[in-house]
Amino acid sequence: MASDSEGNFRKATWSDPSIPVPVRHIQFNPGKAHRTDNLPRTKASEHQTEIRKANPPHSEMANSTEAQKPQNTKKNKKGATLDTFYGAKIQNTEQIEDNIQENAPKPSKGNGNSPQTYEEFESEMTKKMEAFWEEKLEIMQKKFTHLQNRYDETEKENQALKARIRQLEDNDRVKEQELIKQSQNTKKLEENIKYLTDKVIDLENRGRRENLRIIGLPEKPEINTKLDMVIQDIIKENCPEILEQGGNTSTDRAHRTPSTLNPQKTTPRNVIAKFQSYQTKEKILQEARKRQFRYKGMPIRVTQDLASSTLNDRKAWNMIFRKARELGLQPRISYPAKLTIYFQGKVWAFNKIEDFQHFAKKRPELC
């Protein structure tokens, strides 16, 4: 009956604009959704929708009956008509209810009839976040443990490498000291070897003091079989005064060197003659330095017999010796392989070719 009387009352007010319409003021709580009854949220929404369909807003009914009733010209203080004012008020109220229902918290999963409070939602989200971060923390802890183990292993390897490097440095330092000692010993050995080599060469040269080397004697069988008699003939032909003075010209032995004949060489081998008297050998050598010796008209050369190394050192002076003779410097090769010249009233001696070249550069007349 209440609904019928209320509907008749609304129809009367709509038909008679002079009767004021009672407005139901609804108070809304922003933090909690407005409930019209004790029904669940979804059923309450359907119930409100049915009520709105049965009782349409004042603005919709006003539009449908606009042609039948006269226009209400009564205005409020702000200039709006009552129909427009009440229709806007009811429409705004319905929009506020819809917004509240949309923004209301969702029902709880445990109980569909009771809404989920903010504290429960916050607690659930907190638990989820804690579980998420605990999982992440566990993963990071595992990674950190792995990295810590790798760091410990790397540190151990680094310490081992440092110890190895120190050991290598110590070994290297010891080897350097040993190398220095070996270098010093090698230098001493080289000096000793040079001294001994020179000593051996000198002893060999002194052992050949009674020998003469005859160069250019023809390579013939009748000469090779009678070398002692050939040497006596050379002395008689070139220096007979030695025989007149009663010198001992006899020889202990005479032979060709080298012992075997090389068919590729066209020059004859040298003859080595060992005299019994050193004085006789020196007299023959002095006469050979004064003039050219001959054997049966063939030119020969008589020199001091020396070691092969000494002879090689003397041969190195051959070119300089010839040039010095052309310049009238009176060159001579003295024992063991020293060049002497007479220049500007003085006698100059050179043990090495480099010394003579340095001497000649300062004197353009020798160059």
Side-chain angles (χ1 to χ4, degrees), residues 82-232:
L82 291 176
D83 295 338
T84 304
F85 173 77
Y86 293 130
K89 185 70 175 181
I90 294 171
Q91 185 177 4
N92 291 337
T93 303
E94 292 175 353
Q95 290 179 357
I96 291 172
E97 291 179 356
D98 293 338
N99 292 333
I100 290 173
Q101 291 178 3
E102 291 176 358
N103 297 327
K106 295 180 179 180
S108 176
K109 294 182 179 179
N111 188 4
N113 296 327
S114 62
Q116 184 183 18
T117 62
Y118 179 76
E119 289 78 6
E120 292 176 354
F121 176 76
E122 183 179 7
S123 176
E124 183 179 356
M125 292 303 296
T126 303
K127 290 179 181 179
K128 290 182 179 180
M129 292 298 293
E130 288 177 354
F132 174 79
W133 286 114
E134 284 179 359
E135 183 180 358
K136 292 295 183 182
L137 181 62
E138 184 179 358
I139 295 172
M140 293 180 67
Q141 186 68 27
K142 291 180 180 179
K143 291 183 179 180
F144 178 77
T145 305
H146 178 69
L147 292 176
Q148 185 67 29
N149 296 333
R150 290 292 301 274
Y151 173 77
D152 296 338
E153 293 176 359
T154 306
E155 187 66 23
K156 292 179 181 179
E157 293 178 358
N158 189 18
Q159 294 297 332
L161 290 174
K162 286 181 179 180
R164 182 62 177 169
I165 289 172
R166 285 194 296 269
Q167 183 179 1
L168 291 174
E169 289 177 352
D170 295 338
N171 295 337
D172 188 44
R173 193 178 299 107
V174 172
K175 289 182 179 180
E176 286 181 357
Q177 294 176 358
E178 292 179 355
L179 182 61
I180 292 172
K181 292 180 180 179
Q182 289 179 0
S183 299
Q184 294 175 355
N185 294 334
T186 303
K187 187 177 181 180
K188 291 180 180 179
L189 290 174
E190 289 177 353
E191 293 176 355
N192 293 335
I193 290 172
K194 186 178 184 304
Y195 171 76
L196 294 174
T197 303
D198 296 340
K199 192 70 174 176
V200 170
I201 293 172
D202 182 67
L203 291 174
E204 185 178 0
N205 289 331
R206 291 182 184 279
R208 297 169 181 261
R209 292 180 64 186
E210 292 84 10
N211 298 348
L212 284 178
R213 183 181 291 267
I214 302 172
I215 303 170
L217 195 63
E219 190 84 34
K220 294 180 180 181
E222 59 274 15
I223 296 176
N224 295 337
T225 56
K226 300 177 180 180
L227 288 176
D228 295 338
M229 296 178 62
V230 171
I231 292 171
Q232 295 298 325

